[in-house]
């Protein structure tokens, strides 16, 4: 949508900076996180390098296979470097 492209264009000035993020959705391919209260982005499961994560559909979370770490809706994440990419629908 046009709103998403505008938000992405705005956030491009912050590429390389770190932001605190809150998990807004959990899927079998990664986490959607919200930064700055309104910008949402995807953290693909491949970027979660500290463990092998499996999606738990019943509890809507990602669970680390060996370490047991859990990512679930509403969790805060440590600062992550922001990358912007616009995709036209």
């Amino acid at each position: 949508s046009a709103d998403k492209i505008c938000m992405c264009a705005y956030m491009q000035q912050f590429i390389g900076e770190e932001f605190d993020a809150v998990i807004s959705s959990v899927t079998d391919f990664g986490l959607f996180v919200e930064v700055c209260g309104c910008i949402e982005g995807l953290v693909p499961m491949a970027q979660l390098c500290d463990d092998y994560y499996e999606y738990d559909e019943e509890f809507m979370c990602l669970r680390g296979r060996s370490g047991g770490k859990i990512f679930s809706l509403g969790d805060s994440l440590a600062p992550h470097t922001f990358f912007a990419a616009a995709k036209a629908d």
Side-chain angles (χ1 to χ4, degrees):
S1 77
D3 288 340
K4 290 181 181 182
I5 292 173
C6 288
M7 285 185 217
C8 186
Y10 170 75
M11 291 300 288
Q12 285 183 353
Q13 65 186 314
F14 302 109
I15 290 175
E17 293 188 28
E18 292 185 341
F19 290 87
D20 290 324
V22 176
I23 298 173
S24 59
S25 183
V26 181
T27 69
D28 61 347
F29 55 85
L31 306 167
F32 282 93
V33 297
E34 189 175 282
V35 295
C36 302
C38 65
I39 308 294
E40 190 172 70
L42 173 66
V43 178
M45 219 182 293
Q47 288 186 358
L48 304 174
C49 303
D50 61 333
D51 202 344
Y52 178 83
Y53 287 89
E54 296 175 327
Y55 178 61
D56 183 332
E57 188 173 3
E58 181 180 356
F59 294 102
M60 290 186 61
C61 68
L62 294 181
R63 193 178 309 273
R65 184 181 281 178
S66 61
K69 185 174 184 178
I70 296 173
F71 291 104
S72 51
L73 198 62
D75 287 351
S76 295
L77 298 179
H80 279 72
T81 302
F82 183 78
F83 297 97
K87 180 181 177 187
D89 293 322

